[in-house]
Amino acid sequence: GLHRVRAGRAERVSLPGVSGDLPIRAVALDPAGVLWLGTIDAGLIGVELGDGGDVRQVVRIGESDGLPHRTVEALLVDRAGALWIGTRGGLARRSGGRLEAAPPGPSYLRSPIEALYEDREGRVWVGSATDGLLALSQGPVAALTEADGLPRQAATAAAMGPDGVLWIGTRGDGIVRAHAGKVRRFGVSDWLCTANVVALLAPAPGVLWIGGTGGARANLCRWDDGRFTTFTDVGGPAFAGHAVRAFLLEPDGSVLVGGPGLLRHVGDRFVRTLLPDESPEKAANVFTLATGRDGTYLVGTGSGVFAGRPGAWTKRTAWFAASAVERPDGELWLGTMQGLIHVRADGSFERGRALGLPEQPVHGVVDDGRGFLWIASPAGLARLGVPAKPGVPSVRRFDLADGLPT
C-alpha cells in the first residue's frame, strides 16, 4: 500500500477504489504534482494531491489504455516532465496526457524493463531483464543496442567520470564509452589490455583506469585523452600478468590499485605498498578496496581485511572478503564465500544466518547511508536494517518473485 510520513510519523494513505494492500513497485512525482504509482497486476495509478497533501483524484491506467503490461517495475520523470514507464511487457512513455508504448518492431523495447535512469545529457538508460542496457535518445523512441556498440555480454563494472562520460566494462567484450548521444566500444584490437574487465575508475575528465583478467601482456591500463596505455612493468614480478580487481581514488588524486598486492600511483610513477606479512616477492591478492570511517581505507585480500593508510596498516580480520563495509561504529560487514560476516569492534563475529540471511556466497555489500545494508548473493538481493540498539536487524529479501531477472 501507499504510506506517507508526516512530522516523523508514517500513516497509510487510502485511495478510493484501490486496495490498501496493493503492492507498489515504483513511485514518481511529475511537475504537475501528480504522484504516479507502479503496481503489481494493477497497472499505473496517478494520485492528484491537494495543497495539504490530501488525495483529490485517482486515475488508473491499464492495458486497455495502451499500457504494455499490468505490472509496472520502474518509473522515471525526465527533465522535460515526461513520465517513462517500465513494465514486464516493455516500455511506455506518457507526455502531454498521452500514453505511447514502444512501436512495433524492435523486441528489445518490449522486453521486461527493470530500471530507468536519466543521465546528464538527458538520455534515458533502460535496464532490460533480457537485453541488457539500452540507451534511448530524445524525441521519438529510438534505441541503441548491440549494433550501435552496447554490449550484450555481462556488464561487470561501470564508472561515470566528472565529465559525464559513462563507461561500462564487460566480460569478454571490452569496454563501452557512452557520451553526448554517441556510443563506442573498445576491445583488444584498439589496444585495450584485456577484454575481460572487472574494475573501472574515472577520476578526472578524459581519464579512465581499467583492471581485468586474462590479458595477453598485462591487466592494468589507462585511457588518457583518446589512447590506451598498458602498464606491463609495475609492481615487480609478483604483480606482472595477474588480475587487477579494484581501484580507489585518494583525496590527493593518487590512485590505489589492487592486484597481487597493492600499488599506489602517485604523479607519474607506481609505488608498491606492502601490507603486513608481505614482502617484495610475496603478495596477497587484493579483491576489494573501500573507504572506511575517518577517511582510512579497507583492503580486502585473500588473507584477510586490512585497515589504515599506506605504510600504516592493521589487520582487522582473517576473513577472505570479496567486499567490505565499515560503519561509523567501527564494525565491519564482509561479503565472503561463507555468506555475510559481521565483525564487531572487539574482533568477535557473527554469521549472516544468525541475522536471517541464507548462508551463500556474498558478492557485494553496500551501505546506503540510510540505515540499510544491501547484500547481493546467488539467492538474490537482501536489505538488512542495522538497528541503533541491540537486537536482530530487520531483513527483507528480493528474488525472482519480486521481479529480479536472476
Side-chain angles (χ1 to χ4, degrees), residues 32 71 135 199 216 224 290 317 387 393:
T71 292
D224 198 341
T317 177

Side-chain angles (χ1 to χ4, degrees), residues 136-156:
L136 306 184
S137 63
Q138 292 286 0
V141 175
L144 296 173
T145 61
E146 185 181 18
D148 303 286
L150 289 181
R152 290 185 66 100
Q153 298 284 359
T156 51

Side-chain angles (χ1 to χ4, degrees), residues 43-91:
L44 181 68
I45 297 177
V47 182
E48 185 179 342
L49 302 174
D51 294 336
D54 296 325
V55 176
R56 294 174 53 184
Q57 185 177 359
V58 174
V59 176
R60 304 190 65 163
I61 298 175
E63 292 173 308
S64 62
D65 304 297
L67 196 67
H69 195 279
R70 62 180 180 274
T71 292
V72 176
E73 301 283 2
L75 294 173
L76 168 71
V77 175
D78 66 20
R79 64 187 64 183
L83 176 68
W84 294 81
I85 307 147
T87 79
R88 291 186 183 175
L91 183 68

